Amino acid sequence: MPELTRKELKQRCKKGEFFNIYLLYGEEKMYIKADTDFLVAELAGKEPPEFNYHSFERSYSLDDIAVAVQVAPFLSERNVVKVCDLDINSLDKENFDKLKAILDGVPDTTALILTMPTLEQSIKKPGANLGNVITKLKKKGAVCAYARESDISLARQIVKWADSRGIKIEQADAYKLQEYVGDDLYMIKNELDKLCNYVGYRGLITGDDIDFLVAKRLEADVFALADAIAEKKSDKAFSILDALFYQKADPESIISVIGMAYIDFYRVRIAAECGVQLSEVAKDFSYGKREFVLKKTVPKIRNITTDALRKSLDAIVETTGVFHSVTLGKRTELEKLIAKLLVFAGER
């Protein structure tokens, strides 16, 4: 079976043409998550029964998956198994052979969904193990690869999303929003939702609204870097940092925005410990219409200790001081800082 587009995947499901194994991977994580949810609903129902639906999202082993795949469905047409972010390329030979045996042994009564809603994975260079699995599943399953949208497609999607909210945005301003935010659909959607809420009954997003409310690309990328550190995703953090340097971003600007993000982290944490509402924090520190930043910060720092946040801020201040005394080697100093912040984020 050749690779399926999003449209073909949905058309086949609506016709009742299902496969025993699905692989959803690539760069556009928002679509991967949406289509994974769609598949689960089509295969197992909107409220899947526990005995016919097995979801592996964080801590799991191949042995767990092997057992779940072989479960016979109870009062249902099929048993559905969803496996999120299995890093296939990192498997050693023994475990990769185990995975291949699982794929070869999926019974007709099971639908196995291998999905990568957060794992970074290139389509052009999938890697040896994943490439092997893709080849195998093209013959006996369905493969969906999610590449980044083109600039034109992104602009059209922005217009479509705004229209669904009863808000208008001109194509030129859709391009402007995209230029400011980048090509990550999650970030674009978040910024667009914010703009729609802001313009309200006026019903039109203008270029001035975007200038006023949307962080430009550098700031957005650096905040994404801070989020990756908070989530302890070292590969993603250094990948974003490499991209920033490739774009010739100024190291001092990068560390400045990292500092802003960590100040937000710290304010939210201390407010929670003192029983202070975020609305009060926003008022005291003049966040104005940017109060949403504080609300979005809450889940990001849930697993970082207060002491780790303090040490992180100290490290940021220290590196900023180093920047003031040197002209060369700032990239190295930033990389050292990111490594420290990742270590602090993992402390308990």
Side-chain angles (χ1 to χ4, degrees):
M1 180 69 213
E3 290 188 1
L4 298 179
T5 64
R6 294 192 73 206
K7 183 177 180 180
E8 289 168 342
L9 175 68
K10 293 182 177 181
Q11 285 177 338
R12 285 180 174 270
C13 286
K14 293 302 181 184
K15 292 178 181 177
E17 298 175 4
F18 297 111
F19 297 88
N20 291 111
I21 310 175
Y22 293 88
L23 171 65
L24 287 70
Y25 78 104
E27 292 96 12
E28 196 43 81
K29 302 304 183 184
M30 185 174 180
Y31 286 159
I32 292 176
K33 184 179 185 306
D35 287 357
T36 299
D37 292 343
F38 169 80
L39 265 179
V40 170
E42 289 293 312
L43 291 164
K46 292 184 178 179
E47 296 183 5
E50 183 178 346
F51 37 84
N52 286 329
Y53 175 58
H54 313 272
S55 179
F56 298 95
E57 299 189 14
R58 289 181 178 84
S59 299
Y60 56 83
S61 69
L62 289 173
D63 290 334
D64 295 332
I65 297 169
V67 170
V69 164
Q70 295 301 324
V71 171
F74 178 70
L75 298 177
S76 178
E77 184 177 350
R78 64 179 63 84
N79 169 48
V80 179
V81 180
K82 181 182 75 173
V83 179
C84 293
D85 294 324
L86 175 61
D87 192 350
I88 296 173
N89 285 322
S90 71
L91 298 177
D92 58 23
K93 185 178 185 307
E94 180 182 353
N95 282 300
F96 186 54
D97 287 343
K98 187 179 293 186
L99 174 63
K100 289 191 290 185
I102 291 171
L103 298 179
D104 288 336
V106 175
D108 292 340
T109 53
T110 291
L112 172 62
I113 304 170
L114 299 175
T115 178
M116 300 179 184
T118 64
L119 184 69
E120 296 299 321
Q121 182 59 63
S122 169
I123 292 176
K124 292 182 179 179
K125 298 180 179 179
N129 284 0
L130 181 58
N132 186 303
V133 169
I134 291 170
T135 300
K136 177 186 289 288
L137 296 190
K138 282 183 179 179
K139 298 176 182 177
K140 61 177 299 182
V143 176
C144 297
Y146 296 77
R148 290 289 188 196
E149 295 272 17
S150 68
D151 289 347
I152 294 176
S153 296
L154 272 177
R156 289 174 179 166
Q157 185 64 63
I158 290 169
V159 172
K160 183 178 179 181
W161 275 336
D163 189 60
S164 71
R165 296 278 301 270
I167 305 292
K168 298 298 180 184
I169 181 172
E170 296 295 331
Q171 191 92 347
D173 290 324
Y175 279 118
K176 184 173 190 175
L177 175 60
Q178 176 188 337
E179 179 184 351
Y180 276 25
V181 179
D183 58 4
D184 186 292
L185 279 184
Y186 276 120
M187 296 183 69
I188 290 175
K189 186 67 163 56
N190 286 339
E191 294 298 326
L192 184 62
D193 286 345
K194 182 173 66 179
L195 284 162
C196 289
N197 291 333
Y198 174 69
V199 301
Y201 292 111
R202 172 154 54 92
L204 175 67
I205 296 170
T206 67
D208 288 341
D209 296 324
I210 295 171
D211 285 331
F212 176 69
L213 208 58
V214 178
K216 292 190 178 180
R217 189 165 190 161
L218 171 64
E219 188 172 335
D221 284 348
V222 179
F223 272 104
L225 170 60
D227 290 349
I229 296 169
E231 295 166 1
K232 297 177 280 296
K233 296 179 178 178
S234 57
D235 288 346
K236 183 175 183 179
F238 282 107
S239 176
I240 294 172
L241 186 62
D242 285 342
L244 287 166
F245 279 115
Y246 180 79
Q247 296 162 13
K248 303 190 185 314
D250 175 45
E252 294 191 10
S253 298
I254 295 174
I255 197 169
S256 174
V257 180
I258 291 175
M260 290 168 55
Y262 267 81
I263 288 171
D264 291 337
F265 290 172
Y266 189 70
R267 286 172 176 167
V268 169
R269 169 55 55 75
I270 298 304
E273 291 180 350
C274 297
V276 176
Q277 296 294 318
L278 291 183
S279 57
E280 294 181 52
V281 178
K283 182 178 180 181
D284 290 343
F285 293 97
S286 303
Y287 277 76
K289 295 182 181 297
R290 295 183 68 253
E291 182 180 339
F292 69 92
V293 171
L294 299 176
K295 294 178 180 177
K296 288 173 64 176
T297 293
V298 174
K300 298 174 186 175
I301 61 169
R302 188 168 290 133
N303 296 317
I304 304 180
T305 67
T306 304
D307 184 58
L309 290 174
R310 291 193 179 110
K311 289 195 288 188
S312 297
L313 284 168
D314 288 341
I316 292 167
V317 170
E318 181 182 347
T319 304
T320 301
V322 172
F323 275 17
H324 292 159
S325 61
V326 300
T327 55
L328 299 175
K330 291 183 178 179
R331 172 170 183 161
T332 300
E333 292 299 325
L334 256 182
E335 289 173 340
K336 287 162 61 177
L337 172 63
I338 300 307
K340 287 181 182 178
L341 297 180
L342 284 162
V343 170
F344 295 153
E347 289 182 351
R348 290 290 177 267

